[in-house]
Amino acid sequence: MLAQMHALALTAVTQAYSPYSHFKVGVCLETASGQLFSGCNIENASYSLTLCAESAAIAAMVTAGQQRIQRLVIVSSGEDFCSPCGACRQRLLEFATEAMEIHLFNQAGDCRVHWLSELLPFSFGKKDLPC
Ligand code: THU
């Protein structure tokens, strides 16, 4: 499954729309039910409207009726590992399972695995709100 997720993320990179930064990002997420959703970054001439690849994949997942992410793969057109931006870390927190793994692949195919709690320590999330 991880190899398939990596392949889907690499395909998503090729679909990225990034004429301004020329930096392409592709992700593939796996839901707790085992479904896969990929996403790429989508930039805009009004720069701040740019959609990160993670956000695009989360939108596809929620639209399909899924709300729990157990694994995420991120690749980019850069040589080095691409770590999720701060805003996307917070977006991921909203839907992450306790054990969600974040797999970062560089161009050489090396993989680094992180937990969201490492990337977003002392987070503010739904646990902090009355619901
Ligand atoms: N980008 C993502 O899609 N995800 C990240 O986690 C990091 C940054 C995109 C946004 C923008 O289109 C480009 O990378 C450069 O910042």
Side-chain angles (χ1 to χ4, degrees), residues 21-121:
S21 73
H22 302 289
F23 189 78
K24 296 173 183 286
V25 183
V27 310
C28 180
L29 64 79
E30 181 187 11
T31 65
S33 60
Q35 281 181 264
L36 302 182
F37 294 93
S38 51
C40 62
N41 53 330
I42 305 167
E43 297 186 346
N44 192 282
S46 180
Y47 297 166
S48 65
L49 296 183
T50 289
L51 193 64
C52 282
E54 294 86 338
S55 300
I58 288 170
M61 174 192 76
V62 174
T63 303
Q66 299 297 309
Q67 299 187 352
R68 282 162 57 78
I69 307 170
Q70 69 177 12
R71 197 152 52 154
L72 177 72
V73 166
I74 306 178
V75 298
S76 80
S77 56
E79 290 215 338
D80 209 352
F81 300 98
C82 176
S83 194
C85 77
C88 285
R89 292 174 195 203
Q90 183 70 30
R91 290 192 181 98
L92 288 165
L93 176 67
E94 192 68 26
F95 301 107
T97 62
E98 283 284 316
M100 184 181 76
E101 296 170 3
I102 300 173
H103 295 250
L104 310 179
F105 283 91
N106 65 11
Q107 284 284 345
D110 308 313
C111 182
R112 254 173 33 188
V113 186
H114 295 284
W115 306 111
L116 189 56
S117 55
E118 281 175 70
L119 304 183
L120 190 67

